[in-house]
């Protein structure tokens, strides 16, 4: 299979600061690899602390104006009304849809995901912008009954400059939910995309400019996590951090935020279970059980990496999932198969380490999708692997793998299912499959996680649905209307008038 060189629609080596595309202060670039064949796809800016500082300053100017003081909001962005901000977001949404094919191509190439998933991500980005554009002027304060002679009310105000540090697995979706909601509430944003995949972050910023977003309302500084990311999370003039990524880096971010006493939203990892009771409609459940594990080559925070199955239907579920695994078509991103490569050689080695663990532990591999002949040799390929009869507590059942590996775990009754489901350090999403409505509600309430899907499963889906974790999966909520509260701060005003 021969992959022709891929053209980039713009200069990928620049940062966007205050409306100007420019070379990073370091003068250096970093390679961006194509996961489907291991070749260099493009080069990106190596942003550092100097660029971050300039970006934060530009965001302040967008809010306050040149020489303005914090809170004045006399800048080109700060003085817009909520309705005007909303209209800009709606315009961006329309442009994203117009350019969906190109955005899908970039995201697929960059992340290695099938083209159809790239397209779904572009449509999701447009929908986030539509949702938050429509919501911008609908976040209201309250009046509060207080002492005689007073009127007391609350105002929802932007934090100011907000930092957005995003990972490589779903750049468009995560930018949509995080930057989209922050802009709707009138914050000025500094976005640090991941060094492994950031083409659509750059394309998104260009769409913002084309829609008429004032200079500095959105700044983008690609670069290494320990350089640009660390500088952004420690910057003294940042007023809120939204971080999506690993638990290890999340704790660094929260520590940095604590030093400046600012709020932080942490969207971290997961080991999400799907619980299949014996009375479940398996015909409906089966495609969800598999897709939620292999989507984006398993590199989804809410991937259903644990399938808990009640004993009477365990063998049937294993058999039917295995059939689906054997039919999976692996292909380079633009060939649009069912599953692409993982993001990097490093990620491939991590997942391979878990496959070695499966072998060394003598676990039963129920199915492994074959690597088709002719896949580009340099690509970061991992065979999707279904492992049956994994004991609760085994590393395969406890640790986030972030690859196309699912563990099947049998259980006897509801109590045991809950104990296993809640028995990891994570708590992001869970699925429950049963025809018994009372049980569905009971189990949903007892699961320790941020989202529960009953008789369906949306790995990362649902723009309107508040999303986030408990325990090591993080805290704070993004998506849905709830995010708008996180991206704003409440001010109480008590007026004495008599
Ligand atoms: P990561 O934590 O390594 O990187 C995420 C981002 O943080 C990148 O932009 C990176 O450059 C930056 N970063 C790295 N080191 C930094 C530092 N010292 N200071 C500041 N920033 C730094 O995570 P990853 O490998 O890119 O992503 C995978 C993880 O993200 C998984 O654990 C996955 O579950 C999680 N994730 C969670 C969600 C969610 O919504 N809960 C969504 C997607 C991914």
């Amino acid at each position: 299979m021969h992959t022709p060189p891929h053209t980039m629609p713009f200069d990928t080596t620049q940062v966007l600061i205050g409306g100007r595309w420019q070379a990073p202060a370091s003068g250096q670039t970093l390679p961006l690899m194509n996961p489907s064949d291991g070749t260099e796809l493009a080069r990106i800016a190596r942003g550092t602390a100097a660029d971050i500082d300039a970006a934060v300053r530009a965001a302040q100017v967008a809010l306050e104006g040149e020489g303005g003081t914090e809170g004045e909001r006399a800048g080109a962005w700060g003085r817009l009304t909520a309705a005007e901000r909303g209209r800009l977001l709606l315009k961006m949404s329309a442009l994203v849809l117009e350019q969906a094919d190109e955005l899908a191509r970039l995201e697929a190439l960059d992340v290695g995901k099938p083209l159809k998933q790239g397209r779904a991500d572009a449509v999701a980005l447009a929908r986030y912008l539509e949702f938050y554009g429509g919501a911008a002027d609908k976040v209201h304060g309250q009046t509060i009954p207080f002492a005689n002679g007073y009127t007391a009310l609350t105002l929802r105000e932007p934090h100011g400059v907000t930092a957005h540090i995003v990972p490589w697995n779903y750049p468009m979706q995560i930018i949509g939910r995080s930057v989209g909601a922050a802009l709707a509430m009138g914050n000025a944003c500094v976005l640090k995309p991941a060094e492994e995949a950031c083409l659509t972050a750059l394309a998104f910023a260009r769409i913002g400019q084309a829609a008429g977003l004032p200079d500095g309302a959105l700044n983008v500084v690609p670069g290494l996590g320990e350089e640009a990311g660390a500088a952004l999370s420690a910057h003294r003039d940042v007023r809120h951090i939204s971080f999506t990524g690993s638990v290890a880096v999340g704790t660094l971010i929260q520590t940095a935020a604590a030093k400046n006493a600012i709020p932080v939203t942490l969207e971290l990892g997961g080991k999400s279970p799907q619980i299949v009771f014996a009375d479940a409609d398996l015909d409906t459940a089966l495609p969800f059980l598999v897709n939620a594990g292999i989507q984006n080559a398993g590199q989804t925070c809410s991937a259903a990496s644990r399938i808990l199955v009640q004993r009477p239907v365990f063998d049937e579920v294993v058999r039917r999932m295995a059939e689906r695994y054997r039919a999976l078509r692996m292909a380079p991103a633009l060939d649009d198969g069912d599953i692409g490569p993982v993001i990097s050689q490093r990620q491939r080695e991590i997942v391979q380490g878990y496959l070695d663990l499966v072998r060394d532990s003598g676990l039963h591999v129920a199915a492994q999708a074959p690597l088709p002949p002719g896949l580009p040799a340099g690509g970061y390929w991992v065979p999707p692997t279904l492992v049956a009869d994994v004991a609760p507590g085994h590393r395969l059942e406890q640790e986030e793998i972030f690859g196309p590996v699912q563990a099947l775990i049998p259980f006897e009754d509801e109590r045991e299912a809950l104990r296993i489901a809640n028995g990891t350090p994570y708590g992001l999403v869970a699925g429950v499959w049963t025809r018994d409505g009372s049980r569905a509600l009971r189990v949903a309430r007892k699961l320790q996680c941020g989202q529960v899907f009953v008789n369906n499963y949306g790995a990362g889906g649902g723009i309107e649905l508040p999303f986030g974790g408990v325990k090591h999966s993080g805290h704070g909520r993004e998506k849905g209307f709830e995010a708008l509260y996180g991206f704003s701060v409440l001010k109480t005003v008590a007026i004495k008038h008599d």
Side-chain angles (χ1 to χ4, degrees), residues 165-170 174 177 192-196 223-226 229-230 233 243-247 249-250 252-253 267-270 300-301 400 402 428 467 473:
I165 302 178
V166 305
W168 43 263
N169 57 348
Y170 291 88
I174 295 169
R177 75 186 193 203
K192 209 302 276 175
E195 50 270 49
E196 296 88 348
L224 297 173
E226 56 273 30
S233 58
F243 172 79
T244 304
S246 61
V247 179
V249 178
L252 292 177
I253 301 284
E267 298 278 6
L268 309 179
T300 305
C301 53
E400 185 182 48
F402 232 51
L428 196 54
F467 175 77
S473 293

Side-chain angles (χ1 to χ4, degrees), residues 145-334:
F146 190 49
N148 285 341
Y150 281 83
T151 296
L153 53 93
T154 59
L155 302 169
R156 280 268 161 204
E157 299 188 335
H159 290 285
V161 179
T162 51
H164 305 263
I165 302 178
V166 305
W168 43 263
N169 57 348
Y170 291 88
M172 277 198 280
Q173 292 217 31
I174 295 169
I175 289 169
R177 75 186 193 203
S178 164
V179 174
L183 288 175
M185 294 311 291
N187 300 282
C189 305
V190 179
L191 168 63
K192 209 302 276 175
E195 50 270 49
E196 296 88 348
C198 64
L199 293 176
T200 52
L202 302 173
F204 173 74
R206 283 171 195 272
I207 284 172
Q209 288 184 298
L213 208 56
D215 292 348
L218 170 62
N219 307 276
V220 184
V221 182
L224 297 173
E226 56 273 30
E227 293 180 353
L232 181 57
S233 58
H235 200 290
R236 288 188 50 210
D237 295 326
V238 166
R239 297 282 175 256
H240 179 281
I241 306 176
S242 159
F243 172 79
T244 304
S246 61
V247 179
V249 178
T251 55
L252 292 177
I253 301 284
Q254 181 154 352
T255 306
K259 288 185 180 150
N260 288 323
I262 57 166
V264 53
T265 304
L266 294 184
E267 298 278 6
L268 309 179
K271 193 73 186 173
S272 299
Q274 296 226 37
I275 309 174
V276 184
F277 286 96
D279 67 344
D281 174 354
L282 292 185
D283 291 339
T284 307
L286 256 295
F288 284 90
L289 298 182
V290 174
N291 290 347
I294 57 101
Q295 180 179 311
N296 205 28
Q299 303 162 116
T300 305
C301 53
S302 47
S305 49
R306 295 187 299 155
I307 310 292
L308 281 49
V309 188
Q310 202 163 15
R311 277 278 180 211
V313 291
F314 186 76
D315 289 345
E316 181 182 354
V317 170
V318 174
R319 181 177 50 77
R320 293 179 66 180
M321 282 186 76
E323 275 164 21
R324 286 178 174 269
Y325 259 69
R326 285 190 280 268
L328 289 174
R329 190 170 75 86
M330 296 194 79
L334 298 188

